[in-house]
Amino acid sequence: MTAAGEPPSHPLEVFRGRLISVEVWPTRYREIVRHPGSCAAVPLIRDDVLLVRQMREAVGEALLEIPAGTRDVPGEESGACAAREVLEETGHRAVHVEALGWLYASPGFLDERIDLFLVEVEPAGGPGESGIEVVRLPLLEAVDLAAEGGIRDAKSVAGLLLAARRRGSDRDA
Amino acid sequence: MTAAGEPPSHPLEVFRGRLISVEVWPTRYREIVRHPGSCAAVPLIRDDVLLVRQMREAVGEALLEIPAGTRDVPGEESGACAAREVLEETGHRAVHVEALGWLYASPGFLDERIDLFLVEVEPAGGPGESGIEVVRLPLLEAVDLAAEGGIRDAKSVAGLLLAARRRGSDRDA
């Protein structure tokens, strides 16, 4: 709970973890979660996209998502972060990286910013990450899946729809 | 920080606020934020959408978003929550509410689920909420704005693109 007694006039840090910290604003009451930010990529190989399915303990189920990660490497640019996550999670190397925009995950209480990229990839010979299943399907099918509820992660739904729009393929469908 | 000494085998609650709580999983280390969930609506009045601009303290800027709120009324269904938020924030009454799907805001560490609705509205005579600016524009312009970076909130970008797709208007643009 928040501090008892005289409230301080500045934000009060109530938790500092390895990933997030939480502060409480006592006067105009707010609970705010601080996060280092994320990078995410829509990895395209010709007209197909590579998605990853993995267990998400926070929600208690395995989800199909675009490759993504926390920006936890000091000094690493977000495009490089996205390319690294694609390589680690799918075993595919980025040959072209293009910014697709950035989003706040839940700006009412969380400062996490997600940088989105459209990444053209090629096989790099390696396997994907252990515990992660790679799913390759046509980008247009992935967009249909997102619209039908087969993809539940907000950044993935936004990223796939933005990528299809950028590619012009959504309009031609 | 996490508990020192012998780690317990079950999640450890490190913060419980009015909105969120935070737990730490000590064995397979995780920081997990629990949230009651949200409702959000794409409010349409003929071919126009109503967006709201308001200050978001967590990110330190005013953002243009679709109307949304926390599911903090016990027993209220999410469609009713979305219609209520539209009325409170825009002064417009829902005449038709249609589910558009639901999304996890950031499932790597946060369990917030956002229920999205497409809501047909009509003016209800009332003003919007204080501190909230209502912006009415064609849905297709809002989708362009989302693609160009004028809308940064993930649920708003996903919601607008899904709504345009549902309406078929994105394809005809």
mmCIF file of all heavy atoms in Angstrom, chain A residues 16-20 28 31 34 57-58 61 102-104 106-107 112 144 152-154 165 170, chain B residues 1 17-20 28 30-31 34 57-58 61 102-104 106-107 112 144 152-154 165 170:
data_model
loop_
_atom_site.group_PDB
_atom_site.id
_atom_site.type_symbol
_atom_site.label_atom_id
_atom_site.label_comp_id
_atom_site.label_asym_id
_atom_site.label_seq_id
_atom_site.Cartn_x
_atom_site.Cartn_y
_atom_site.Cartn_z
ATOM 1 N N ARG A 16 11.293 -1.485 -6.871
ATOM 2 C CA ARG A 16 12.292 -1.433 -7.943
ATOM 3 C C ARG A 16 12.789 -2.843 -8.179
ATOM 4 O O ARG A 16 13.430 -3.448 -7.310
ATOM 5 C CB ARG A 16 13.460 -0.509 -7.586
ATOM 6 C CG ARG A 16 14.585 -0.539 -8.646
ATOM 7 C CD ARG A 16 15.722 0.408 -8.326
ATOM 8 N NE ARG A 16 15.301 1.783 -8.448
ATOM 9 C CZ ARG A 16 15.409 2.498 -9.578
ATOM 10 N NH1 ARG A 16 15.919 1.948 -10.669
ATOM 11 N NH2 ARG A 16 15.007 3.739 -9.604
ATOM 12 N N GLY A 17 12.459 -3.375 -9.361
ATOM 13 C CA GLY A 17 12.861 -4.741 -9.693
ATOM 14 C C GLY A 17 13.965 -4.746 -10.727
ATOM 15 O O GLY A 17 14.622 -3.730 -10.950
ATOM 16 N N ARG A 18 14.159 -5.888 -11.356
ATOM 17 C CA ARG A 18 15.177 -5.986 -12.409
ATOM 18 C C ARG A 18 14.648 -5.414 -13.715
ATOM 19 O O ARG A 18 15.391 -4.859 -14.512
ATOM 20 C CB ARG A 18 15.551 -7.454 -12.632
ATOM 21 C CG ARG A 18 16.175 -8.099 -11.420
ATOM 22 C CD ARG A 18 16.513 -9.563 -11.698
ATOM 23 N NE ARG A 18 16.632 -10.291 -10.441
ATOM 24 C CZ ARG A 18 16.751 -11.606 -10.342
ATOM 25 N NH1 ARG A 18 16.768 -12.362 -11.427
ATOM 26 N NH2 ARG A 18 16.855 -12.188 -9.165
ATOM 27 N N LEU A 19 13.310 -5.575 -13.952
ATOM 28 C CA LEU A 19 12.694 -5.108 -15.198
ATOM 29 C C LEU A 19 11.975 -3.771 -14.996
ATOM 30 O O LEU A 19 12.224 -2.808 -15.713
ATOM 31 C CB LEU A 19 11.686 -6.154 -15.698
ATOM 32 C CG LEU A 19 10.857 -5.748 -16.932
ATOM 33 C CD1 LEU A 19 11.730 -5.664 -18.178
ATOM 34 C CD2 LEU A 19 9.684 -6.698 -17.157
ATOM 35 N N ILE A 20 11.078 -3.733 -14.050
ATOM 36 C CA ILE A 20 10.208 -2.567 -13.862
ATOM 37 C C ILE A 20 10.447 -1.906 -12.508
ATOM 38 O O ILE A 20 11.048 -2.491 -11.596
ATOM 39 C CB ILE A 20 8.716 -2.957 -13.949
ATOM 40 C CG1 ILE A 20 8.368 -4.013 -12.880
ATOM 41 C CG2 ILE A 20 8.348 -3.422 -15.336
ATOM 42 C CD1 ILE A 20 6.896 -4.145 -12.585
ATOM 43 N N ARG A 28 -1.951 14.092 -6.577
ATOM 44 C CA ARG A 28 -2.958 13.678 -7.560
ATOM 45 C C ARG A 28 -2.690 12.192 -7.763
ATOM 46 O O ARG A 28 -1.819 11.799 -8.534
ATOM 47 C CB ARG A 28 -2.778 14.467 -8.858
ATOM 48 C CG ARG A 28 -3.906 14.203 -9.818
ATOM 49 C CD ARG A 28 -3.820 14.988 -11.096
ATOM 50 N NE ARG A 28 -4.896 14.536 -11.990
ATOM 51 C CZ ARG A 28 -5.062 14.943 -13.226
ATOM 52 N NH1 ARG A 28 -4.232 15.817 -13.734
ATOM 53 N NH2 ARG A 28 -6.050 14.490 -13.963
ATOM 54 N N GLU A 31 -0.769 5.474 -9.836
ATOM 55 C CA GLU A 31 0.208 4.383 -9.754
ATOM 56 C C GLU A 31 0.834 4.277 -11.137
ATOM 57 O O GLU A 31 0.119 4.112 -12.123
ATOM 58 C CB GLU A 31 -0.479 3.069 -9.384
ATOM 59 C CG GLU A 31 -1.045 3.100 -7.967
ATOM 60 C CD GLU A 31 -2.047 1.987 -7.703
ATOM 61 O OE1 GLU A 31 -2.200 1.091 -8.559
ATOM 62 O OE2 GLU A 31 -2.690 2.034 -6.648
ATOM 63 N N ARG A 34 7.208 1.978 -14.475
ATOM 64 C CA ARG A 34 8.312 2.370 -15.368
ATOM 65 C C ARG A 34 8.937 1.117 -15.973
ATOM 66 O O ARG A 34 9.188 0.142 -15.255
ATOM 67 C CB ARG A 34 9.393 3.136 -14.602
ATOM 68 C CG ARG A 34 8.883 4.371 -13.883
ATOM 69 C CD ARG A 34 8.732 5.533 -14.823
ATOM 70 N NE ARG A 34 8.168 6.697 -14.151
ATOM 71 C CZ ARG A 34 7.442 7.629 -14.778
ATOM 72 N NH1 ARG A 34 7.191 7.526 -16.082
ATOM 73 N NH2 ARG A 34 6.976 8.653 -14.120
ATOM 74 N N GLU A 57 3.819 -16.305 -19.003
ATOM 75 C CA GLU A 57 3.406 -16.603 -17.626
ATOM 76 C C GLU A 57 2.467 -15.536 -17.066
ATOM 77 O O GLU A 57 1.574 -15.850 -16.280
ATOM 78 C CB GLU A 57 4.623 -16.736 -16.704
ATOM 79 C CG GLU A 57 5.359 -18.058 -16.815
ATOM 80 C CD GLU A 57 6.417 -18.054 -17.905
ATOM 81 O OE1 GLU A 57 6.512 -17.051 -18.655
ATOM 82 O OE2 GLU A 57 7.141 -19.060 -18.012
ATOM 83 N N ALA A 58 2.649 -14.290 -17.449
ATOM 84 C CA ALA A 58 1.828 -13.201 -16.889
ATOM 85 C C ALA A 58 0.350 -13.398 -17.204
ATOM 86 O O ALA A 58 -0.512 -12.992 -16.426
ATOM 87 C CB ALA A 58 2.304 -11.845 -17.422
ATOM 88 N N GLU A 61 -0.925 -18.274 -20.607
ATOM 89 C CA GLU A 61 -1.160 -19.035 -21.831
ATOM 90 C C GLU A 61 -0.058 -18.779 -22.852
ATOM 91 O O GLU A 61 0.687 -17.807 -22.744
ATOM 92 C CB GLU A 61 -2.535 -18.715 -22.440
ATOM 93 C CG GLU A 61 -2.779 -17.260 -22.752
ATOM 94 C CD GLU A 61 -4.172 -17.002 -23.367
ATOM 95 O OE1 GLU A 61 -4.552 -17.707 -24.316
ATOM 96 O OE2 GLU A 61 -4.845 -16.077 -22.898
ATOM 97 N N TRP A 102 6.250 3.768 -33.534
ATOM 98 C CA TRP A 102 6.371 3.287 -32.161
ATOM 99 C C TRP A 102 5.078 3.538 -31.418
ATOM 100 O O TRP A 102 4.295 4.421 -31.785
ATOM 101 C CB TRP A 102 7.577 3.896 -31.443
ATOM 102 C CG TRP A 102 7.615 5.381 -31.325
ATOM 103 C CD1 TRP A 102 8.267 6.245 -32.141
ATOM 104 C CD2 TRP A 102 6.983 6.191 -30.318
ATOM 105 N NE1 TRP A 102 8.087 7.533 -31.716
ATOM 106 C CE2 TRP A 102 7.303 7.532 -30.600
ATOM 107 C CE3 TRP A 102 6.184 5.900 -29.209
ATOM 108 C CZ2 TRP A 102 6.849 8.587 -29.812
ATOM 109 C CZ3 TRP A 102 5.721 6.957 -28.424
ATOM 110 C CH2 TRP A 102 6.061 8.280 -28.728
ATOM 111 N N LEU A 103 4.856 2.750 -30.392
ATOM 112 C CA LEU A 103 3.593 2.771 -29.658
ATOM 113 C C LEU A 103 3.828 2.722 -28.162
ATOM 114 O O LEU A 103 4.809 2.131 -27.708
ATOM 115 C CB LEU A 103 2.756 1.537 -30.038
ATOM 116 C CG LEU A 103 2.392 1.369 -31.511
ATOM 117 C CD1 LEU A 103 1.735 0.008 -31.723
ATOM 118 C CD2 LEU A 103 1.467 2.481 -31.964
ATOM 119 N N TYR A 104 2.915 3.313 -27.413
ATOM 120 C CA TYR A 104 2.872 3.087 -25.968
ATOM 121 C C TYR A 104 1.949 1.894 -25.700
ATOM 122 O O TYR A 104 0.824 1.841 -26.230
ATOM 123 C CB TYR A 104 2.313 4.313 -25.245
ATOM 124 C CG TYR A 104 3.246 5.497 -25.198
ATOM 125 C CD1 TYR A 104 2.873 6.727 -25.723
ATOM 126 C CD2 TYR A 104 4.494 5.391 -24.602
ATOM 127 C CE1 TYR A 104 3.711 7.830 -25.665
ATOM 128 C CE2 TYR A 104 5.349 6.492 -24.545
ATOM 129 C CZ TYR A 104 4.961 7.706 -25.070
ATOM 130 O OH TYR A 104 5.798 8.782 -25.010
ATOM 131 N N SER A 106 0.404 0.872 -22.817
ATOM 132 C CA SER A 106 -0.781 1.151 -21.999
ATOM 133 C C SER A 106 -0.539 2.454 -21.238
ATOM 134 O O SER A 106 -0.253 2.445 -20.038
ATOM 135 C CB SER A 106 -1.038 -0.014 -21.023
ATOM 136 O OG SER A 106 -2.332 0.113 -20.449
ATOM 137 N N PRO A 107 -0.627 3.590 -21.965
ATOM 138 C CA PRO A 107 -0.114 4.856 -21.427
ATOM 139 C C PRO A 107 -0.895 5.442 -20.247
ATOM 140 O O PRO A 107 -0.461 6.440 -19.684
ATOM 141 C CB PRO A 107 -0.166 5.793 -22.640
ATOM 142 C CG PRO A 107 -1.210 5.222 -23.528
ATOM 143 C CD PRO A 107 -1.116 3.732 -23.351
ATOM 144 N N GLU A 112 5.935 2.071 -20.902
ATOM 145 C CA GLU A 112 6.585 1.229 -21.926
ATOM 146 C C GLU A 112 6.311 1.734 -23.335
ATOM 147 O O GLU A 112 5.152 1.862 -23.740
ATOM 148 C CB GLU A 112 6.098 -0.231 -21.820
ATOM 149 C CG GLU A 112 6.794 -1.126 -22.860
ATOM 150 C CD GLU A 112 6.235 -2.547 -22.906
ATOM 151 O OE1 GLU A 112 5.263 -2.834 -22.180
ATOM 152 O OE2 GLU A 112 6.769 -3.363 -23.677
ATOM 153 N N ASP A 144 -5.502 -11.619 -41.256
ATOM 154 C CA ASP A 144 -6.831 -12.213 -41.034
ATOM 155 C C ASP A 144 -6.915 -12.815 -39.633
ATOM 156 O O ASP A 144 -7.904 -12.639 -38.917
ATOM 157 C CB ASP A 144 -7.115 -13.327 -42.060
ATOM 158 C CG ASP A 144 -7.389 -12.770 -43.457
ATOM 159 O OD1 ASP A 144 -7.683 -11.570 -43.575
ATOM 160 O OD2 ASP A 144 -7.301 -13.556 -44.417
ATOM 161 N N ARG A 152 -3.506 -12.164 -29.955
ATOM 162 C CA ARG A 152 -4.078 -11.376 -28.859
ATOM 163 C C ARG A 152 -3.161 -10.287 -28.344
ATOM 164 O O ARG A 152 -3.554 -9.480 -27.500
ATOM 165 C CB ARG A 152 -4.418 -12.307 -27.683
ATOM 166 C CG ARG A 152 -5.523 -13.306 -27.983
ATOM 167 C CD ARG A 152 -6.799 -12.594 -28.412
ATOM 168 N NE ARG A 152 -7.951 -13.499 -28.427
ATOM 169 C CZ ARG A 152 -9.171 -13.091 -28.783
ATOM 170 N NH1 ARG A 152 -9.391 -11.842 -29.145
ATOM 171 N NH2 ARG A 152 -10.177 -13.943 -28.795
ATOM 172 N N ASP A 153 -1.922 -10.280 -28.797
ATOM 173 C CA ASP A 153 -0.941 -9.313 -28.318
ATOM 174 C C ASP A 153 -1.101 -7.998 -29.090
ATOM 175 O O ASP A 153 -1.022 -7.975 -30.322
ATOM 176 C CB ASP A 153 0.449 -9.914 -28.549
ATOM 177 C CG ASP A 153 1.549 -8.911 -28.358
ATOM 178 O OD1 ASP A 153 1.551 -8.227 -27.312
ATOM 179 O OD2 ASP A 153 2.408 -8.791 -29.250
ATOM 180 N N ALA A 154 -1.318 -6.900 -28.356
ATOM 181 C CA ALA A 154 -1.649 -5.623 -29.000
ATOM 182 C C ALA A 154 -0.573 -5.166 -29.990
ATOM 183 O O ALA A 154 -0.894 -4.734 -31.102
ATOM 184 C CB ALA A 154 -1.885 -4.545 -27.934
ATOM 185 N N ARG A 165 -0.465 -2.650 -44.353
ATOM 186 C CA ARG A 165 -0.804 -1.360 -44.951
ATOM 187 C C ARG A 165 0.400 -0.770 -45.680
ATOM 188 O O ARG A 165 0.304 -0.280 -46.793
ATOM 189 C CB ARG A 165 -1.263 -0.430 -43.829
ATOM 190 C CG ARG A 165 -1.955 0.801 -44.287
ATOM 191 C CD ARG A 165 -2.309 1.660 -43.080
ATOM 192 N NE ARG A 165 -2.395 3.025 -43.478
ATOM 193 C CZ ARG A 165 -3.486 3.575 -44.007
ATOM 194 N NH1 ARG A 165 -4.571 2.859 -44.157
ATOM 195 N NH2 ARG A 165 -3.494 4.838 -44.373
ATOM 196 N N ASP A 170 -2.816 -5.158 -47.890
ATOM 197 C CA ASP A 170 -4.142 -5.216 -47.272
ATOM 198 C C ASP A 170 -5.197 -4.699 -48.243
ATOM 199 O O ASP A 170 -6.290 -5.214 -48.340
ATOM 200 C CB ASP A 170 -4.157 -4.389 -45.989
ATOM 201 C CG ASP A 170 -5.263 -4.818 -45.044
ATOM 202 O OD1 ASP A 170 -5.672 -5.988 -45.080
ATOM 203 O OD2 ASP A 170 -5.724 -3.985 -44.284
ATOM 204 N N MET B 1 13.039 -4.530 -3.944
ATOM 205 C CA MET B 1 13.693 -5.739 -4.458
ATOM 206 C C MET B 1 13.008 -6.987 -3.914
ATOM 207 O O MET B 1 12.101 -6.927 -3.124
ATOM 208 C CB MET B 1 15.172 -5.748 -4.058
ATOM 209 C CG MET B 1 16.025 -4.764 -4.861
ATOM 210 S SD MET B 1 15.952 -5.061 -6.664
ATOM 211 C CE MET B 1 16.647 -6.708 -6.769
ATOM 212 N N GLY B 17 -1.687 -1.888 -4.913
ATOM 213 C CA GLY B 17 -2.214 -0.526 -4.937
ATOM 214 C C GLY B 17 -3.712 -0.531 -5.152
ATOM 215 O O GLY B 17 -4.375 -1.541 -4.973
ATOM 216 N N ARG B 18 -4.228 0.629 -5.549
ATOM 217 C CA ARG B 18 -5.666 0.725 -5.826
ATOM 218 C C ARG B 18 -5.966 0.177 -7.211
ATOM 219 O O ARG B 18 -7.038 -0.362 -7.453
ATOM 220 C CB ARG B 18 -6.098 2.197 -5.779
ATOM 221 C CG ARG B 18 -5.899 2.826 -4.413
ATOM 222 C CD ARG B 18 -6.327 4.295 -4.438
ATOM 223 N NE ARG B 18 -5.730 5.011 -3.331
ATOM 224 C CZ ARG B 18 -5.782 6.337 -3.163
ATOM 225 N NH1 ARG B 18 -6.441 7.078 -4.054
ATOM 226 N NH2 ARG B 18 -5.215 6.913 -2.140
ATOM 227 N N LEU B 19 -5.014 0.350 -8.163
ATOM 228 C CA LEU B 19 -5.215 -0.102 -9.549
ATOM 229 C C LEU B 19 -4.518 -1.427 -9.809
ATOM 230 O O LEU B 19 -5.139 -2.379 -10.263
ATOM 231 C CB LEU B 19 -4.673 0.958 -10.520
ATOM 232 C CG LEU B 19 -4.700 0.573 -12.012
ATOM 233 C CD1 LEU B 19 -6.131 0.505 -12.532
ATOM 234 C CD2 LEU B 19 -3.865 1.531 -12.852
ATOM 235 N N ILE B 20 -3.240 -1.475 -9.540
ATOM 236 C CA ILE B 20 -2.430 -2.644 -9.907
ATOM 237 C C ILE B 20 -1.850 -3.322 -8.676
ATOM 238 O O ILE B 20 -1.826 -2.751 -7.578
ATOM 239 C CB ILE B 20 -1.243 -2.245 -10.830
ATOM 240 C CG1 ILE B 20 -0.356 -1.194 -10.131
ATOM 241 C CG2 ILE B 20 -1.736 -1.750 -12.168
ATOM 242 C CD1 ILE B 20 1.030 -1.074 -10.715
ATOM 243 N N ARG B 28 11.651 -19.352 -11.056
ATOM 244 C CA ARG B 28 11.928 -18.914 -12.429
ATOM 245 C C ARG B 28 11.589 -17.428 -12.429
ATOM 246 O O ARG B 28 10.433 -17.030 -12.547
ATOM 247 C CB ARG B 28 11.028 -19.687 -13.405
ATOM 248 C CG ARG B 28 11.408 -19.389 -14.832
ATOM 249 C CD ARG B 28 10.631 -20.190 -15.852
ATOM 250 N NE ARG B 28 11.014 -19.726 -17.181
ATOM 251 C CZ ARG B 28 10.446 -20.134 -18.295
ATOM 252 N NH1 ARG B 28 9.484 -21.014 -18.272
ATOM 253 N NH2 ARG B 28 10.850 -19.665 -19.457
ATOM 254 N N ARG B 30 10.430 -13.831 -12.418
ATOM 255 C CA ARG B 30 9.531 -13.009 -13.208
ATOM 256 C C ARG B 30 9.032 -11.855 -12.347
ATOM 257 O O ARG B 30 8.815 -12.036 -11.142
ATOM 258 C CB ARG B 30 8.273 -13.798 -13.645
ATOM 259 C CG ARG B 30 8.477 -14.864 -14.677
ATOM 260 C CD ARG B 30 8.624 -14.251 -16.063
ATOM 261 N NE ARG B 30 8.739 -15.286 -17.094
ATOM 262 C CZ ARG B 30 9.846 -15.975 -17.346
ATOM 263 N NH1 ARG B 30 10.939 -15.755 -16.646
ATOM 264 N NH2 ARG B 30 9.860 -16.874 -18.316
ATOM 265 N N GLU B 31 8.852 -10.691 -12.969
ATOM 266 C CA GLU B 31 8.095 -9.603 -12.327
ATOM 267 C C GLU B 31 6.796 -9.488 -13.107
ATOM 268 O O GLU B 31 6.823 -9.298 -14.328
ATOM 269 C CB GLU B 31 8.876 -8.284 -12.396
ATOM 270 C CG GLU B 31 10.153 -8.330 -11.557
ATOM 271 C CD GLU B 31 11.139 -7.226 -11.898
ATOM 272 O OE1 GLU B 31 10.783 -6.296 -12.659
ATOM 273 O OE2 GLU B 31 12.279 -7.296 -11.420
ATOM 274 N N ARG B 34 -0.329 -7.152 -12.168
ATOM 275 C CA ARG B 34 -1.744 -7.540 -12.286
ATOM 276 C C ARG B 34 -2.605 -6.289 -12.408
ATOM 277 O O ARG B 34 -2.404 -5.316 -11.659
ATOM 278 C CB ARG B 34 -2.190 -8.327 -11.048
ATOM 279 C CG ARG B 34 -1.367 -9.568 -10.767
ATOM 280 C CD ARG B 34 -1.784 -10.721 -11.630
ATOM 281 N NE ARG B 34 -0.941 -11.890 -11.435
ATOM 282 C CZ ARG B 34 -0.728 -12.805 -12.380
ATOM 283 N NH1 ARG B 34 -1.284 -12.691 -13.574
ATOM 284 N NH2 ARG B 34 0.049 -13.843 -12.134
ATOM 285 N N GLU B 57 -0.065 11.188 -17.580
ATOM 286 C CA GLU B 57 1.063 11.466 -16.688
ATOM 287 C C GLU B 57 2.160 10.401 -16.776
ATOM 288 O O GLU B 57 3.341 10.710 -16.642
ATOM 289 C CB GLU B 57 0.594 11.577 -15.238
ATOM 290 C CG GLU B 57 -0.081 12.896 -14.896
ATOM 291 C CD GLU B 57 -1.564 12.901 -15.183
ATOM 292 O OE1 GLU B 57 -2.063 11.893 -15.755
ATOM 293 O OE2 GLU B 57 -2.229 13.898 -14.853
ATOM 294 N N ALA B 58 1.771 9.147 -17.001
ATOM 295 C CA ALA B 58 2.767 8.065 -17.030
ATOM 296 C C ALA B 58 3.798 8.275 -18.130
ATOM 297 O O ALA B 58 4.953 7.872 -17.983
ATOM 298 C CB ALA B 58 2.074 6.710 -17.208
ATOM 299 N N GLU B 61 2.940 13.191 -21.598
ATOM 300 C CA GLU B 61 2.435 13.976 -22.735
ATOM 301 C C GLU B 61 0.945 13.729 -22.932
ATOM 302 O O GLU B 61 0.389 12.752 -22.423
ATOM 303 C CB GLU B 61 3.201 13.661 -24.023
ATOM 304 C CG GLU B 61 3.219 12.212 -24.429
ATOM 305 C CD GLU B 61 4.008 11.969 -25.737
ATOM 306 O OE1 GLU B 61 3.770 12.682 -26.724
ATOM 307 O OE2 GLU B 61 4.852 11.062 -25.752
ATOM 308 N N TRP B 102 -10.444 -8.704 -28.395
ATOM 309 C CA TRP B 102 -9.756 -8.248 -27.189
ATOM 310 C C TRP B 102 -8.273 -8.507 -27.323
ATOM 311 O O TRP B 102 -7.849 -9.377 -28.093
ATOM 312 C CB TRP B 102 -10.343 -8.863 -25.922
ATOM 313 C CG TRP B 102 -10.304 -10.357 -25.824
ATOM 314 C CD1 TRP B 102 -11.312 -11.213 -26.143
ATOM 315 C CD2 TRP B 102 -9.212 -11.164 -25.360
ATOM 316 N NE1 TRP B 102 -10.910 -12.508 -25.907
ATOM 317 C CE2 TRP B 102 -9.632 -12.506 -25.433
ATOM 318 C CE3 TRP B 102 -7.926 -10.887 -24.899
ATOM 319 C CZ2 TRP B 102 -8.795 -13.575 -25.056
ATOM 320 C CZ3 TRP B 102 -7.090 -11.948 -24.526
ATOM 321 C CH2 TRP B 102 -7.551 -13.263 -24.604
ATOM 322 N N LEU B 103 -7.489 -7.729 -26.592
ATOM 323 C CA LEU B 103 -6.033 -7.755 -26.717
ATOM 324 C C LEU B 103 -5.374 -7.722 -25.352
ATOM 325 O O LEU B 103 -5.921 -7.143 -24.409
ATOM 326 C CB LEU B 103 -5.554 -6.513 -27.488
ATOM 327 C CG LEU B 103 -6.097 -6.314 -28.902
ATOM 328 C CD1 LEU B 103 -5.683 -4.955 -29.434
ATOM 329 C CD2 LEU B 103 -5.606 -7.424 -29.817
ATOM 330 N N TYR B 104 -4.190 -8.326 -25.271
ATOM 331 C CA TYR B 104 -3.329 -8.116 -24.104
ATOM 332 C C TYR B 104 -2.417 -6.924 -24.394
ATOM 333 O O TYR B 104 -1.797 -6.861 -25.470
ATOM 334 C CB TYR B 104 -2.464 -9.342 -23.843
ATOM 335 C CG TYR B 104 -3.205 -10.530 -23.283
ATOM 336 C CD1 TYR B 104 -3.205 -11.756 -23.950
ATOM 337 C CD2 TYR B 104 -3.885 -10.441 -22.078
ATOM 338 C CE1 TYR B 104 -3.873 -12.867 -23.429
ATOM 339 C CE2 TYR B 104 -4.553 -11.552 -21.551
ATOM 340 C CZ TYR B 104 -4.541 -12.747 -22.233
ATOM 341 O OH TYR B 104 -5.193 -13.842 -21.717
ATOM 342 N N SER B 106 0.495 -5.926 -22.909
ATOM 343 C CA SER B 106 1.937 -6.213 -22.904
ATOM 344 C C SER B 106 2.171 -7.523 -22.163
ATOM 345 O O SER B 106 2.623 -7.530 -21.014
ATOM 346 C CB SER B 106 2.698 -5.061 -22.239
ATOM 347 O OG SER B 106 4.087 -5.174 -22.512
ATOM 348 N N PRO B 107 1.822 -8.651 -22.819
ATOM 349 C CA PRO B 107 1.705 -9.932 -22.103
ATOM 350 C C PRO B 107 3.020 -10.518 -21.590
ATOM 351 O O PRO B 107 2.987 -11.521 -20.891
ATOM 352 C CB PRO B 107 1.046 -10.855 -23.137
ATOM 353 C CG PRO B 107 1.396 -10.252 -24.460
ATOM 354 C CD PRO B 107 1.424 -8.771 -24.230
ATOM 355 N N GLU B 112 -2.954 -7.163 -18.169
ATOM 356 C CA GLU B 112 -4.066 -6.312 -18.628
ATOM 357 C C GLU B 112 -4.651 -6.802 -19.956
ATOM 358 O O GLU B 112 -3.942 -6.913 -20.955
ATOM 359 C CB GLU B 112 -3.610 -4.857 -18.809
ATOM 360 C CG GLU B 112 -4.759 -3.950 -19.271
ATOM 361 C CD GLU B 112 -4.325 -2.523 -19.590
ATOM 362 O OE1 GLU B 112 -3.118 -2.233 -19.554
ATOM 363 O OE2 GLU B 112 -5.207 -1.697 -19.893
ATOM 364 N N ASP B 144 -5.139 6.825 -41.234
ATOM 365 C CA ASP B 144 -3.920 7.424 -41.803
ATOM 366 C C ASP B 144 -3.054 8.011 -40.691
ATOM 367 O O ASP B 144 -1.834 7.834 -40.673
ATOM 368 C CB ASP B 144 -4.276 8.541 -42.789
ATOM 369 C CG ASP B 144 -4.845 7.999 -44.105
ATOM 370 O OD1 ASP B 144 -4.672 6.798 -44.374
ATOM 371 O OD2 ASP B 144 -5.459 8.787 -44.841
ATOM 372 N N ARG B 152 -0.315 7.220 -30.824
ATOM 373 C CA ARG B 152 0.774 6.416 -30.262
ATOM 374 C C ARG B 152 0.305 5.326 -29.324
ATOM 375 O O ARG B 152 1.119 4.511 -28.866
ATOM 376 C CB ARG B 152 1.735 7.339 -29.485
ATOM 377 C CG ARG B 152 2.479 8.335 -30.357
ATOM 378 C CD ARG B 152 3.266 7.635 -31.424
ATOM 379 N NE ARG B 152 4.222 8.531 -32.096
ATOM 380 C CZ ARG B 152 5.012 8.132 -33.086
ATOM 381 N NH1 ARG B 152 4.961 6.891 -33.526
ATOM 382 N NH2 ARG B 152 5.850 8.973 -33.650
ATOM 383 N N ASP B 153 -0.962 5.326 -28.985
ATOM 384 C CA ASP B 153 -1.498 4.349 -28.045
ATOM 385 C C ASP B 153 -1.810 3.044 -28.791
ATOM 386 O O ASP B 153 -2.578 3.039 -29.751
ATOM 387 C CB ASP B 153 -2.768 4.943 -27.427
ATOM 388 C CG ASP B 153 -3.568 3.933 -26.662
ATOM 389 O OD1 ASP B 153 -2.964 3.238 -25.812
ATOM 390 O OD2 ASP B 153 -4.780 3.811 -26.893
ATOM 391 N N ALA B 154 -1.224 1.939 -28.329
ATOM 392 C CA ALA B 154 -1.323 0.668 -29.061
ATOM 393 C C ALA B 154 -2.772 0.211 -29.260
ATOM 394 O O ALA B 154 -3.149 -0.193 -30.357
ATOM 395 C CB ALA B 154 -0.522 -0.418 -28.332
ATOM 396 N N ARG B 165 -11.071 -2.121 -41.033
ATOM 397 C CA ARG B 165 -11.135 -3.406 -41.728
ATOM 398 C C ARG B 165 -12.542 -3.986 -41.644
ATOM 399 O O ARG B 165 -13.095 -4.471 -42.632
ATOM 400 C CB ARG B 165 -10.122 -4.345 -41.076
ATOM 401 C CG ARG B 165 -9.823 -5.571 -41.858
ATOM 402 C CD ARG B 165 -8.848 -6.445 -41.085
ATOM 403 N NE ARG B 165 -9.009 -7.803 -41.509
ATOM 404 C CZ ARG B 165 -8.400 -8.334 -42.557
ATOM 405 N NH1 ARG B 165 -7.576 -7.605 -43.262
ATOM 406 N NH2 ARG B 165 -8.619 -9.583 -42.893
ATOM 407 N N ASP B 170 -11.133 0.425 -45.251
ATOM 408 C CA ASP B 170 -9.693 0.495 -45.506
ATOM 409 C C ASP B 170 -9.385 -0.019 -46.916
ATOM 410 O O ASP B 170 -8.539 0.504 -47.609
ATOM 411 C CB ASP B 170 -8.943 -0.345 -44.475
ATOM 412 C CG ASP B 170 -7.508 0.112 -44.325
ATOM 413 O OD1 ASP B 170 -7.200 1.291 -44.533
ATOM 414 O OD2 ASP B 170 -6.676 -0.733 -44.008
#
